[in-house]
Amino acid sequence: MTMRALPVGDRALLIELADGEEAEALHAELLRRRATGALPAVGEIVPAARTVLLDGLADPARLARELPGWEIPPLPARAEEAVEVPVRYDGPDLAAVAALWQVTEDDVAEIHSAAEFRVAFCGFAPGFGYLTGLPQRYAVPRRDTPRASVPAGALGLAGPYSGVYPRSSPGGWQLIGTTELELWDPARVPAALFAPGVRVRFVREGR
Amino acid sequence: MTDRALSVVRAGALTTVQDLGRPGYAHLGVPRSGALDPRAAAVVNRLVGNPESAAVLETTLTGCAIRPRGPVTVAIGGAPCPVTVDGRPAAWGAPVRVAAGALLEAGCTTGGVRGYIAFAGGVAVDPVLGSRSTDLLSGLGPPPLADGVVLPLGRPVGPAARADVCVPWPAPPAELVLRVRLGPRADWFTDAALRAFTSGVYRVSAMSNRIGLRTEGPALERARDGELPSEGMVLGAVQVPPDGRPVVFLADHPTTGGYPVAAVVDERDLPAAAQAAPGTPVRFIPVR
């Protein structure tokens, strides 16, 4: 695994990897090391598409020197526990996605609910997770015209990612379904059901 | 209702509740938020005997007017402004005892942008993820103040500073000098662009807000095309959107972004950035 550690100001490092899978593996290793006390104190560990940001470091240069010597195990293929998200595959873009995938709408629901997902990273809004797990051939473009308002609980696809809007907002993802599950509730512990590294399965309902 | 409360008589252009913010949740997409000028917020808290973590009001340019239901000690600092209680001049930058039902008014700032009003006991709205701060990007915390709103106050914990205490306040910047460290994506810009960035004069744009200090000045030309996949953003990041005008990320900045970050501003210079009025000249000085 090739890592590039880019200094970000005086207290942060941006670690760049070859792809999203490597970024997820490094993120898992960082959490493991933090849990065992093997990581210097850090304020934020923020994974993204193919980077992991470490913010609030006392000595980023030292960590940058040590990183190349790290052994980073690949992600385990399957986890024991996953967050199960009940979904009705009834989104307004279901037909468009079926056309892009060259399958029926029913197949879209079957394919999507058979996949095992992982929250690669969060962003855009509190509790909005970018989920990986669909085979690359199912990647879809964003809508040409974003919707001014996407309802909370809408399940969408964009590029290689699946995501659920935690609250109503504008959005350009292709919407294929709906869930009643409350993904984001700041009064709950945990506030976000989709935190980076969490496994997710979508369970088809209402057939 | 208890008399540990205040009613908002005039909310002003933008007045929000702020404390130290909610760091530690960036991985969930939660901005850090918190007072844009944390030094000023800390001083007004100290003047009324509050811990630094107490929530204060952050005003923007036009101040605000407040009527406490019970007697309370307050202090107003940050951007200088006239202070009155029931129309009579009162001290700025020092503890002021306000009687129950009296009208406390912070006027328009005479320099700087953000004023801070501390109340003994702190503003006691319910915390969200450990903070009472209003986050304008994601909508966490209490909404910005509106006329007629009532906010609860906490119980005072410490004695206020003596009324004759004298606090040195940095003057609002006539020129904003921001020390920067180039990177992480300086290589996305041409050498000429980076020279223009570190030698040219920018001005604070009127489009600036709690999310970012926007600038007007030489546009930074990209050395490469294409898009940067979203990556984590830090406080003080100088993000360059497609129009080429640098934006310095402030407390309510998004936690990830897809525009390249040319440099990062030293955190110690950000309180001055929060007080730089639109039109203020800005210089970015590279340091190693």
Side-chain angles (χ1 to χ4, degrees), chain A residues 16 44-45 48-49 122 127 167, chain B residues 24 26-28 138 181 185 230-231:
Chain A
E16 188 173 48
E44 312 267 6
I45 300 178
C122 292
R167 54 162 206 223
Chain B
H27 62 291
L28 300 180
S138 62
R181 181 162 174 175
R185 300 294 179 189
S230 275
E231 58 191 30

Side-chain angles (χ1 to χ4, degrees), chain B residues 87-100:
Chain B
R88 301 160 71 101
W92 177 91
V96 174
R97 188 82 181 149
V98 181

Side-chain angles (χ1 to χ4, degrees), chain B residues 37 39 78-80 92 111-113 168-176 271-273 275-276:
Chain B
D37 185 345
R39 289 191 304 222
W92 177 91
V113 178
W169 296 90
E175 180 188 48
L176 182 60
Q275 297 294 4

Side-chain angles (χ1 to χ4, degrees), chain A:
Chain A
M1 189 179 290
T2 317
M3 289 184 270
R4 237 177 112 210
L6 305 167
V8 180
D10 293 327
R11 287 168 49 79
L13 272 188
L14 184 69
I15 307 166
E16 188 173 48
L17 300 112
D19 56 33
E21 205 167 314
E22 288 192 3
E24 288 186 55
L26 173 64
H27 176 250
E29 176 65 10
L30 286 162
L31 294 191
R32 195 190 65 75
R33 287 185 183 236
R34 183 163 69 175
T36 59
L39 188 71
V42 58
E44 312 267 6
I45 300 178
V46 188
R50 56 159 205 240
T51 55
V52 180
L53 173 74
L54 296 166
D55 192 8
L57 291 165
D59 190 352
R62 181 171 163 190
L63 187 61
R65 282 194 302 274
E66 290 172 2
L67 273 168
W70 284 21
E71 286 270 331
I72 295 164
L75 283 175
R78 261 189 125 67
E80 316 74 55
E81 264 188 82
V83 173
E84 296 205 335
V85 181
V87 168
R88 288 190 313 278
Y89 285 91
D90 59 359
D93 300 322
L94 191 60
V97 169
L100 286 164
W101 288 7
Q102 300 183 317
V103 299
T104 66
E105 294 182 21
D106 188 62
D107 291 337
V108 172
E110 283 302 302
I111 291 164
H112 195 266
S113 59
E116 172 140 341
F117 293 88
R118 197 165 178 280
V119 181
F121 59 96
C122 292
F124 172 64
F128 186 95
Y130 291 73
L131 277 57
T132 52
L134 274 185
Q136 183 59 41
R137 64 180 179 280
Y138 295 127
V140 298
R142 284 165 198 258
R143 286 170 51 83
D144 291 336
T145 312
R147 290 186 169 85
S149 176
V150 172
L155 163 64
L157 305 179
Y161 302 114
S162 294
V164 178
Y165 286 81
R167 54 162 206 223
S168 175
S169 71
W173 291 35
Q174 308 246 24
L175 306 182
I176 62 169
T178 314
T179 182
E180 305 288 331
L181 193 61
E182 189 117 24
L183 291 171
W184 169 253
D185 176 1
R188 178 183 63 197
V189 178
L193 295 186
F194 288 0
V198 166
R199 302 266 169 186
V200 178
R201 293 190 66 83
F202 292 98
V203 179
R204 190 174 180 185
E205 64 170 22
R207 315 181 55 175

Side-chain angles (χ1 to χ4, degrees), chain B residues 2-68:
Chain B
T2 156
D3 67 356
R4 300 293 313 159
L6 53 83
S7 28
V8 178
V9 176
R10 180 179 67 81
L14 174 66
T15 301
T16 59
V17 177
Q18 296 296 337
D19 57 15
L20 301 174
R22 42 185 78 84
Y25 295 98
H27 62 291
L28 300 180
V30 175
R32 74 173 57 210
S33 195
L36 284 199
D37 185 345
R39 289 191 304 222
V43 172
V44 289
N45 264 329
R46 215 150 56 220
L47 287 171
V48 299
N50 286 345
E52 286 197 2
S53 57
V56 301
L57 298 182
E58 179 182 278
T59 64
T60 313
L61 292 169
T62 61
C64 70
I66 297 291
R67 203 184 289 283

Side-chain angles (χ1 to χ4, degrees), chain B residues 106-256:
Chain B
C108 287
T109 58
T110 53
V113 178
R114 270 113 193 165
Y116 292 88
I117 310 177
F119 302 86
V123 179
V125 294
D126 288 335
V128 177
L129 295 175
S131 167
R132 298 183 166 91
S133 290
T134 298
D135 168 359
L136 294 178
L137 183 74
S138 62
L140 297 178
L145 265 55
D147 295 354
V149 162
V150 174
L151 295 174
L153 293 177
R155 209 156 278 289
V157 291
R162 290 162 52 104
D164 60 352
V165 74
C166 182
V167 182
W169 296 90
E175 180 188 48
L176 182 60
V177 177
L178 300 175
R179 289 166 288 180
V180 296
R181 181 162 174 175
L182 290 180
R185 300 294 179 189
D187 59 340
W188 278 60
F189 301 93
T190 63
D191 289 346
L194 293 177
R195 271 197 306 278
F197 172 60
T198 54
S199 62
V201 172
Y202 288 82
R203 283 183 188 279
V204 175
S205 157
M207 302 288 287
S208 301
N209 55 26
R210 283 187 43 88
I211 297 165
L213 178 93
R214 292 176 180 276
T215 63
E216 290 159 357
L220 301 193
E221 191 198 349
R222 290 255 196 111
R224 50 196 289 183
D225 293 329
E227 288 190 26
L228 187 65
S230 275
E231 58 191 30
M233 293 283 145
V234 300
L235 185 68
V238 182
Q239 204 194 42
V240 184
D243 73 4
R245 264 75 192 193
V247 180
V248 179
F249 274 169
L250 302 179
D252 287 355
H253 71 85
T255 57
T256 59

